[in-house]
Amino acid sequence: MNDERAEFATLIEEDRARHELHTWQGSFLEYLERVRQDPQIPQLAHARLYGAIVKQGIGDIGNNDDHRVKRLFIDEKVSVYGFFSNEFFGIERTLSQLVRYFHSASLHGEESRQVLYLMGPVGAGKSSLIARLQRGLEETEPVYAIAGCPMAEEPLHLIPLHLRSEFEKMLEVHIEGELCPICRHRLKNEYNGRYEDVPVIRVPFSRHERRGIGVVPPVDPNNQDTSVLIGSVDISKLDTFSETDPRALDLNGAFNVGNRGMTEFIEVFKNEPEYLHTMITATQEKFIPAPGRHGTVYVDTAIVAHSNEAEWNRFKGDPTNEAFLDRIVVLKVPYNLRLTEEIKIYHKLLDKSEFREPIAPHTLEIAAMFAILTRLEPSSKADPMTKLHLYNGDEVVEKGTTSKINIRELEEESRRDGMFGISPRFIMKAIDNTLAEHPLGINPINVRESLINMVKAGDFPDDTRKRYLEFLQDSLHKAYLEILEKEITKAFVYSFEEQAEALYQNYLDHTEAYVNKTRVKDRNTGEELQPDESFLKSVEEQIAVVGSSAQGFRQEVMAYLWGKIRRGEKVNYRSYEPLKEAIEKKLMSSVREMSRIITKARTRDEEQMSKYRDLVGALLERGYDDHSAEVVLKYAANNLWKD
Ligand SMILES: Nc1ncnc2c1ncn2[C@@H]1O[C@H](COP(=O)(O)OP(=O)(O)OP(=O)(O)O)[C@@H](O)[C@H]1O
Ligand SMILES: [Mg+2]
């Protein structure tokens, strides 16, 4: 008990010490000394954000351990950032474009004078991305600011214009911006112009406390009051101060708040265009109007806006918005299209929820497959399921060989992939609904059922609903049965891996002899045998390699594996995807009859009973619980092995 209290106390003390390390107060003169020692101190907003991002490390997606990812990015260099890695999945290209924007902007390129606009379908992660950037700002060290300035402004603004180039040389920094009306007034009246005495403090960013992070929600079109953006004249202060006295100003608009950091426009195009003019001057000239008759105010803020595509198209279509369009960097935020990554998104969201009930294997996979299928345009090159697997970096076996469809060409053909379809939110809702009805846990069967109900009840155009139902009732039904049969086989066949490996070795021995027209030496007896063609055929027919194509297939297998061995790579039954599939299917067919009998039997004799128990046991080892094992076995009995 006392120990724990001591632990709390230490934690609090340490945090306070860290905090105090960053609280500092001094005169402007002392501040100048600090800047001389560290010219990074007065960096501008975009550079600060860029720094926060890259600080957490940059990697290359090609260095991924997953061979699927390697395959997908073989001809393209995409950087990955530690800053985003545990939270965002499958949108690496988008993220690297985002970072590129901040990089150029941090170098004072044209981007620093442009609005970053995130456009994408609902639930694609726009708000979450911006929230991550804002947390990034909150994690950076507090900025130095003129004490008491409502905009936490950069103290270097105190330096009069005629001395700036000299100071720039001495400090090796770039100085831009002018004092806000309030600081200007205080400098003159409180400090008699002695700017070296003006106190400087450190100010941490906080979205919650409106420091360095300003947020503009969509405003009621009938009430587009710009005070939300630029602050206002505080009427109550007009009793004390004249209207021209800056002390009557309340510089608490989103731009004022976002100075030094970021200003976010939520659903930006829901606002009237007039309302957005301030945005243009703020980006292009880095000035915004001051409320009342107080001229302009310098702002340094990364302006980030977002909305969905329909609103963007409406806005873009209006010719009067042309000036605005020229000042926007559009960043498309599409849905993720990679199966493995979609599953990670659901895990992330489930971890955040209170959800603790069992999830049977493949449940999230089936839900993710549905989501991704809805996000793909039809293609003449591949059916939707094949496209899904190709986008995931999977090797797809077609007519006994790996599909040679080029992913880049697929992408070129369907540029709108990922810009429409079902969002992760929809899937999470389906999972919640399933749980409400099945407190024992969720599995691919009840989640698919719940998705079907949601799609039926959902507000979709008729043809979309029809397509979605086809995916759920047809493609995914089939896909799940395939997964399930493989699963049951693996649970059934004691040491599946070893058996597959043995089958593979045997196949290679006989194929080699067949191709080279030699004999096979029996591994046990040493006897020399003719290659067993009927055995070879029994494997090949599993993937529809029959008749004259067998010859070519065998040569391909040998050439492929030989190539790998020459490059010093290890080979096993998984090395050549078509052969792997054939072997797994062969094993499946060898136990199909037994699986059928064991799972279907209404009454089981002693031996069948013990086999059934073993099967359930093996499923438990594979991540099922008692309930879900029973459910999927029943499902297999009713759907897999038709009498
Ligand atoms: N690629 C992704 N990686 C990780 N999480 C994601 C991804 N896409 C969406 N999400 C998650 O899905 C949820 C919905 O995303 P978010 O609210 O950010 O979307 P949005 O684009 O702002 O949607 P809206 O247009 O409806 O405002 C969030 O919890 C988000 O983290
Ligand atoms: Mg949002």
Side-chain angles (χ1 to χ4, degrees):
M1 174 73 184
N2 272 340
D3 273 6
E4 271 175 25
R5 275 178 72 168
E7 237 177 87
F8 292 144
T10 328
L11 192 66
I12 295 169
E13 281 305 316
E14 281 172 1
D15 183 59
R16 186 164 298 139
R18 257 197 308 274
H19 184 68
E20 274 162 13
L21 199 70
H22 289 146
T23 45
W24 178 85
Q25 182 156 11
S27 66
F28 180 59
L29 212 52
E30 288 165 301
Y31 172 66
L32 286 174
E33 204 39 60
R34 293 210 146 192
V35 175
R36 197 214 301 266
Q37 279 159 22
D38 180 4
Q40 289 292 318
I41 287 178
Q43 67 185 170
L44 298 180
H46 288 94
R48 200 176 304 282
L49 257 165
Y50 179 66
I53 296 171
V54 295
K55 198 173 155 203
Q56 303 206 20
I58 308 176
D60 179 351
I61 199 166
N63 292 338
N64 202 294
D65 288 338
D66 189 338
H67 56 276
R68 281 177 296 214
V69 180
K70 273 204 168 79
R71 203 174 296 132
L72 283 174
F73 290 94
I74 197 157
D75 57 351
E76 188 184 359
K77 189 172 158 50
V78 175
S79 298
V80 286
Y81 299 89
F83 186 83
F84 296 111
S85 60
N86 292 326
E87 233 173 289
F88 296 94
F89 305 104
I91 51 167
E92 291 84 357
R93 281 189 195 136
T94 305
L95 294 174
S96 77
Q97 284 162 9
L98 176 91
V99 180
R100 205 174 309 142
Y101 163 86
F102 281 106
H103 188 198
S104 345
S106 73
L107 302 171
H108 307 287
E110 177 56 26
E111 273 87 345
S112 65
R113 296 181 182 277
Q114 302 237 330
V115 173
L116 176 66
Y117 164 63
L118 276 53
M119 184 263 286
V122 293
K126 302 179 294 293
S127 300
S128 315
L129 268 175
I130 294 175
R132 178 68 193 99
L133 293 172
Q134 293 174 345
R135 258 187 296 123
L137 274 176
E138 290 174 335
E139 286 156 15
T140 57
E141 287 190 10
V143 289
Y144 290 84
I146 296 177
C149 173
M151 292 176 65
E153 76 177 303
E154 169 56 58
L156 293 178
H157 293 174
L158 287 162
I159 300 173
L161 289 180
H162 66 275
L163 283 180
R164 285 207 178 168
S165 59
E166 237 167 296
F167 271 97
E168 281 188 338
K169 259 187 242 128
M170 285 195 297
L171 298 170
E172 291 178 41
V173 297
H174 161 75
I175 305 174
E176 65 168 55
E178 284 167 32
L179 283 179
C180 79
I182 295 177
C183 289
R184 214 180 307 139
H185 183 270
R186 288 179 57 207
L187 173 61
K188 192 163 151 216
N189 297 291
E190 283 177 40
Y191 301 98
N192 291 320
R194 289 181 56 85
Y195 55 90
E196 65 274 33
D197 298 337
V198 171
V200 172
I201 55 166
R202 297 197 75 170
V203 176
F205 289 111
S206 162
R207 176 181 160 120
H208 180 62
E209 292 172 37
R210 301 190 80 225
R211 277 196 312 261
I213 299 168
V215 180
V216 188
V219 189
D220 173 2
N222 301 318
N223 178 27
Q224 301 260 331
D225 182 355
T226 49
S227 67
V228 175
L229 300 178
I230 59 169
S232 56
V233 175
D234 184 344
I235 315 240
S236 69
K237 288 187 191 155
L238 288 181
D239 297 342
T240 333
F241 306 118
S242 81
E243 209 178 321
T244 51
D245 191 324
R247 282 173 294 179
L249 286 180
D250 241 347
L251 295 183
N252 63 356
F255 278 121
N256 311 112
V257 169
N259 190 37
R260 316 293 300 273
M262 175 196 284
T263 310
E264 172 190 1
F265 282 75
I266 299 173
E267 308 277 358
V268 60
F269 298 125
K270 288 222 165 87
N271 295 308
E272 296 296 307
E274 292 76 44
Y275 189 65
L276 302 173
H277 281 316
T278 335
M279 220 163 138
I280 298 190
T281 53
T283 47
Q284 211 64 22
E285 278 98 47
K286 296 189 99 173
F287 277 100
I288 55 168
R293 273 168 272 145
H294 290 274
T296 55
V297 182
Y298 168 85
V299 281
D300 166 37
T301 181
I303 302 181
V304 183
H306 50 110
S307 82
N308 63 39
E309 200 177 13
E311 273 160 12
W312 164 244
N313 286 337
R314 194 166 47 77
F315 183 83
K316 206 174 54 171
D318 183 344
T320 56
N321 292 328
E322 211 167 309
F324 198 81
L325 294 176
D326 207 30
R327 292 168 167 86
I328 294 182
V329 174
V330 182
L331 178 68
K332 275 194 190 174
V333 185
Y335 290 130
N336 156 59
L337 297 176
R338 304 214 316 267
L339 182 58
T340 49
E341 304 308 293
E342 189 70 12
I343 297 171
K344 289 184 195 162
I345 299 178
Y346 305 159
H347 274 299
K348 175 187 87 167
L349 296 173
L350 286 170
D351 283 348
K352 278 193 210 155
S353 71
E354 298 282 296
F355 184 95
R356 293 293 169 267
E357 285 72 13
I359 304 175
H362 307 295
T363 305
L364 302 184
E365 183 181 343
I366 290 294
M369 278 184 171
F370 172 60
I372 293 174
L373 286 174
T374 66
R375 299 170 185 169
L376 302 177
E377 282 191 312
S379 159
S380 56
K381 298 188 169 69
D383 64 79
M385 198 52 111
T386 305
K387 202 167 160 183
L388 176 148
H389 283 296
L390 290 171
Y391 276 4
N392 195 39
D394 296 332
E395 286 186 293
V396 176
V397 178
E398 271 174 351
K399 300 190 195 100
T401 166
T402 353
S403 165
K404 301 288 184 297
I405 298 175
N406 183 301
I407 297 176
R408 298 286 172 261
E409 281 172 21
L410 267 187
E411 287 171 343
E412 282 295 310
E413 180 196 56
S414 353
R415 287 170 173 275
R416 289 194 37 76
D417 280 351
M419 293 303 284
F420 56 90
I422 290 284
S423 76
R425 260 191 229 128
F426 185 95
I427 301 291
M428 294 317 289
K429 253 188 269 168
I431 289 179
D432 285 344
N433 289 350
T434 318
L435 207 71
E437 282 172 34
H438 304 269
L440 287 179
I442 59 172
N443 54 56
I445 299 145
N446 56 27
V447 165
R448 192 175 67 98
E449 205 53 49
S450 156
L451 282 167
I452 290 175
N453 292 334
M454 271 175 72
V455 168
K456 281 186 178 160
D459 185 17
F460 300 103
D462 284 345
D463 50 340
T464 308
R465 179 180 304 111
K466 189 162 158 274
R467 215 164 59 90
Y468 288 3
L469 287 175
E470 261 168 33
F471 288 145
L472 286 164
Q473 293 170 327
D474 190 40
S475 325
L476 285 170
H477 180 63
K478 280 198 201 115
Y480 179 56
L481 286 180
E482 271 174 38
I483 294 173
L484 188 57
E485 186 173 10
K486 200 178 272 186
E487 186 106 302
I488 292 179
T489 307
K490 287 188 177 175
F492 230 129
V493 180
Y494 173 71
S495 62
F496 182 90
E497 296 279 307
E498 282 86 344
Q499 293 207 30
E501 195 58 32
L503 203 53
Y504 162 80
Q505 289 298 347
N506 214 4
Y507 181 86
L508 284 195
D509 288 347
H510 286 264
T511 301
E512 190 178 21
Y514 176 87
V515 171
N516 299 337
K517 302 204 170 46
T518 55
R519 285 167 168 262
V520 184
K521 199 169 189 175
D522 188 289
R523 286 181 187 250
N524 298 320
T525 62
E527 208 179 339
E528 301 243 324
L529 304 166
Q530 285 289 352
D532 180 353
E533 239 202 304
S534 68
F535 163 67
L536 294 180
K537 281 184 183 158
S538 75
V539 174
E540 290 150 1
E541 70 186 17
Q542 302 292 336
I543 50 167
V545 172
V546 286
S548 57
S549 56
Q551 180 107 357
F553 180 78
R554 290 170 202 167
Q555 270 159 358
E556 235 169 89
V557 169
M558 295 314 291
Y560 185 89
L561 294 172
W562 182 234
K564 272 195 174 275
I565 292 168
R566 242 192 3 232
R567 288 194 297 276
E569 292 174 39
K570 276 218 171 90
V571 294
N572 58 28
Y573 90 90
R574 287 202 173 84
S575 299
Y576 186 56
E577 192 66 26
L579 185 55
K580 170 187 155 220
E581 202 165 304
I583 285 173
E584 287 186 342
K585 284 196 169 151
K586 166 110 178 123
L587 274 175
M588 277 200 254
S589 73
S590 71
V591 296
R592 190 164 289 144
E593 191 48 26
M594 187 165 55
S595 316
R596 197 180 73 86
I597 293 169
I598 299 296
T599 54
K600 264 183 125 59
R602 281 182 211 287
T603 53
R604 300 182 179 95
D605 62 28
E606 197 59 28
E607 195 197 331
Q608 288 173 336
M609 202 58 214
S610 119
K611 281 223 168 73
Y612 185 82
R613 272 198 299 269
D614 288 350
L615 179 58
V616 172
L619 284 177
L620 296 187
E621 271 172 37
R622 303 180 75 82
Y624 290 83
D625 62 297
D626 286 319
H627 176 69
S628 59
E630 192 188 328
V631 170
V632 301
L633 285 175
K634 248 193 211 136
Y635 191 75
N638 293 335
N639 294 275
L640 258 182
W641 300 292
K642 293 268 156 53
D643 290 307

